[in-house]
Amino acid sequence: QKEVEQNSGPLSVPEGAIASLNCTYSDRGSQSFFWYRQYSGKSPELIMFIYSNGDKEDGRFTAQLNKASQYVSLLIRDSQPSDSATYLCAVFDQTGANNLFFGTGTRLTVIP
Amino acid sequence: EAGVAQSPRYKIIEKRQSVAFWCNPISGHATLYWYQQILGQGPKLLIQFQNNGVVDDSQLPKDRFSAERLKGVDSTLKIQPAKLEDSAVYLCASSQGYDQPQHFGDGTRLSIL
């Protein structure tokens, strides 16, 4: 069974601060990693994906991947109250099932 | 580009009844997925289709759940008979290929009484 671990939170940050969300995964062979945002009562929305070691930036979001440490993170700069949501880390398993495994999500609250 | 369409949005049934959900993926997306998301958990894959063929249904409770995608476009997921533990949000997603980013529909929130 593939494991994707996230701190469930809640993580609270003040408006304008950097929010750091972390995720570890068990399958060393995983190659593709995705971050989804899920507002309460809504469906997951894709915000970032990363395939290579290092950083990938998109606006206020930066995904960081370290395959040696089996660790992927999402940084949100200049956090806004509208960023308050649950952030789901998903890891693509290419060694067997060819599908996504999701963590349980980290709930982020940005305090105005 | 229209997103993934799902219906109904909400469904309330009694245990042992049957229920069906419908999904229409993004146009041109060959891969379609059904997920179950229980409150406080991440989505769990139930079944994955590539065109009209099943790629993975290893986590589908086949004694009560069934799914089809007959023409390689829209899909239905059925539960018969429903149990209390089936209360969840059922999400449909689609992607251009099995390793491409998945896009989710709004989901169907199922409550079993």
Side-chain angles (χ1 to χ4, degrees), chain A residues 37-39 41-45, chain B residues 6 9 37 91 104-107:
Chain A
R37 178 176 61 198
Q38 188 171 28
Y39 292 113
K42 301 293 186 182
S43 63
E45 173 193 9
Chain B
Q6 287 190 249
R9 289 297 313 278
Q37 187 174 25
L91 295 163
F104 286 82
D106 288 336

Side-chain angles (χ1 to χ4, degrees), chain A residues 37-97:
Chain A
R37 178 176 61 198
Q38 188 171 28
Y39 292 113
S40 180
K42 301 293 186 182
S43 63
E45 173 193 9
L46 179 69
I47 53 172
M48 289 284 290
F49 58 90
I50 186 167
Y51 301 140
S52 303
N53 271 332
D55 295 0
K56 179 181 178 182
E57 188 174 314
D58 184 1
R60 296 185 297 112
F61 298 98
T62 299
Q64 299 176 317
L65 175 60
N66 184 326
K67 291 183 180 179
S69 300
Q70 295 175 236
Y71 175 91
V72 57
S73 65
L74 179 70
L75 301 179
I76 306 175
R77 290 182 301 281
D78 188 24
S79 295
Q80 301 297 309
S82 58
D83 295 327
S84 297
T86 295
Y87 289 80
L88 296 164
C89 172
V91 177
F92 184 74
D93 169 33
Q94 290 177 259
T95 60

Side-chain angles (χ1 to χ4, degrees), chain B residues 1-104:
Chain B
E1 177 183 78
V4 177
Q6 287 190 249
S7 66
R9 289 297 313 278
Y10 305 93
K11 192 73 178 178
I12 301 173
I13 62 171
E14 295 185 348
K15 60 183 179 183
R16 291 187 290 274
Q17 286 188 323
S18 63
V19 65
F21 314 125
W22 174 82
C23 172
N24 190 272
I26 293 172
S27 178
H29 280 195
T31 314
L32 184 147
Y33 315 79
W34 284 102
Y35 287 88
Q36 179 192 60
Q37 187 174 25
I38 293 172
L39 188 64
Q41 299 182 17
K44 184 186 82 171
L45 181 71
L46 292 174
I47 189 167
Q48 175 184 346
F49 292 94
Q50 180 73 18
N51 296 309
N52 61 347
V54 175
V55 175
D56 183 4
D57 63 357
S58 58
Q59 298 199 79
L60 186 74
K62 298 181 187 65
D63 58 334
R64 297 184 301 106
F65 286 63
S66 64
E68 61 183 11
R69 192 185 186 200
L70 291 176
K71 296 183 179 180
V73 180
D74 57 350
S75 175
T76 55
L77 176 70
K78 297 179 182 178
I79 308 175
Q80 182 178 15
K83 291 185 175 181
L84 292 175
E85 61 259 35
D86 298 332
S87 293
V89 176
Y90 290 85
L91 295 163
C92 179
S94 71
S95 65
Q96 290 183 322
Y98 71 92
D99 60 346
Q100 298 299 304
Q102 296 179 22
H103 301 271
F104 286 82

Side-chain angles (χ1 to χ4, degrees), chain A residues 18-30:
Chain A
I18 296 175
S20 179
L21 305 161
N22 305 315
C23 173
T24 59
Y25 57 95
S26 63
D27 185 1
R28 186 170 290 277
S30 299

